[in-house]
Amino acid sequence: DVKVTQSSRYLVKRTGEKVFLECVQDMDHENMFWYRQDPGLGLRLIYFSYDVKMKEKGDIPEGYSVSREKKERFSLILESASTNQTSMYLCASSFRRANTGELFFGEGSRLTVL
Amino acid sequence: AQSVTQLDSHVSVSEGTPVLLRCNYSSSYSPSLFWYVQHPNKGLQLLLKYTSAATLVKGINGFEAEFKKSETSFHLTKPSAHMSDAAEYFCVVASGGSYIPTFGRGTSLIVHP
């Protein structure tokens, strides 16, 4: 069964802490995504990666960075967490095909910043 | 450019009655269209997809959607709602050779006993 695994389902952090959210996929997908989900706003793309060490900013990259050192792993980093980054974070992956909307999602990481 | 609009933020139905979740899209190219479902505290799961084959697409759990180019719509339907259908539903468009799909804001389906 195909799988996207997010390392933490629930995290509680303090303002100013550095936060790492890890995502691993076992499908040999080229593309990986980090989304943020907030009520009424749907999914907003933070960063996208189409290959190892390659990344593109999404719609809301401010306050976030990413790392993709291996094909299967895509990490989201909050350098200095703030309360407005309290949210559900979803990782997804897909094959590198044009017009592909077929993404495979992890279960999500719910982050609370106090 | 591509965009997608889910016309209802909430839809409430009784168990056993039909479900209609509405989605309109905008694209300069022939689009691929998708519906996803998200149950509480879970990730998103693909329900069905349209990729320029048959315009009526059948998905999992009895859902189906019809691609109507003239109306730029891709509405999701189910003849009879079950309690287990209560979830958030997202319409998604991908087109123009893009590798990044665009998500709608979601429709929350509430099913009453």
Side-chain angles (χ1 to χ4, degrees), chain B residues 23-35:
Chain B
C23 172
N24 286 354
Y25 70 91
S26 174
S27 173
S28 303
Y29 307 92
S30 295
S32 298
L33 294 157
F34 308 79
W35 276 99

Side-chain angles (χ1 to χ4, degrees), chain B:
Chain B
Q2 61 192 23
S3 67
V4 61
T5 302
Q6 292 184 242
L7 297 166
D8 305 291
S9 58
H10 296 84
V11 169
S12 183
V13 301
S14 297
E15 192 174 20
T17 63
V19 175
L20 170 64
L21 305 183
R22 298 183 295 165
C23 172
N24 286 354
Y25 70 91
S26 174
S27 173
S28 303
Y29 307 92
S30 295
S32 298
L33 294 157
F34 308 79
W35 276 99
Y36 285 80
V37 61
Q38 183 184 31
H39 289 96
N41 296 312
K42 295 288 189 181
L44 279 68
Q45 179 187 13
L46 183 68
L47 262 183
L48 51 78
K49 61 182 177 182
Y50 165 78
T51 54
S52 78
T55 56
L56 183 62
V57 181
K58 294 189 185 299
I60 61 173
N61 300 332
F63 284 94
E64 62 182 37
E66 186 171 7
F67 173 68
K68 292 188 176 180
K69 185 176 181 179
S70 61
E71 299 177 11
T72 61
S73 69
F74 190 58
H75 301 335
L76 182 69
T77 61
K78 183 173 181 178
S80 176
H82 295 146
M83 295 296 292
S84 60
D85 294 328
E88 191 85 11
Y89 292 81
F90 292 92
C91 183
V92 178
V93 63
S95 65
S98 171
Y99 297 107
I100 302 176
T102 298
F103 282 75
R105 291 198 170 191
T107 298
S108 178
L109 177 63
I110 301 158
V111 182
H112 298 286

